[in-house]
Amino acid sequence: MRLWLRDSERRPDPVPAKTDDRKAVLVGLGLWVVALVVVLVFGRQLADAGDGWWLWTVIIGLVLGLVGLVYLSVKRR
């Protein structure tokens, strides 16, 4: 097995598939919202167990998802 090919031996690159990446980001944001609800419901128990950082993890996940959604919206224009 060779690790490289000459340019003359390469097949042409396939055509990129058309996707709507915003749907994937929105599904991820929905899951982060569900996680936020769960963390808020069990917030007292998590804080008592020393796992209060879970709330910040969920908040950062939501913020990064929103940044990704804005990026995809700007990129689409």
Side-chain angles (χ1 to χ4, degrees):
M1 178 178 181
R2 295 186 339 205
L3 298 177
W4 68 89
L5 293 175
R6 293 185 194 109
D7 286 339
S8 61
E9 297 174 327
R10 287 190 61 197
R11 287 186 270 168
D13 293 335
V15 178
K18 298 280 185 186
T19 61
D20 187 6
D21 298 330
R22 292 178 302 155
K23 288 181 184 177
V25 173
L26 287 172
V27 169
L29 278 171
L31 292 172
W32 279 117
V33 169
V34 170
L36 179 63
V37 170
V38 170
V39 167
L40 290 176
V41 167
F42 294 105
R44 177 73 59 196
Q45 292 91 341
L46 288 171
D48 292 342
D51 291 331
W53 57 269
W54 284 23
L55 177 61
W56 290 107
T57 302
V58 173
I59 291 171
I60 295 299
L62 283 168
V63 169
L64 289 175
L66 289 172
V67 168
L69 193 60
V70 168
Y71 172 76
L72 289 173
S73 296
V74 169
K75 181 181 163 188
R76 188 175 180 110
R77 291 183 193 168

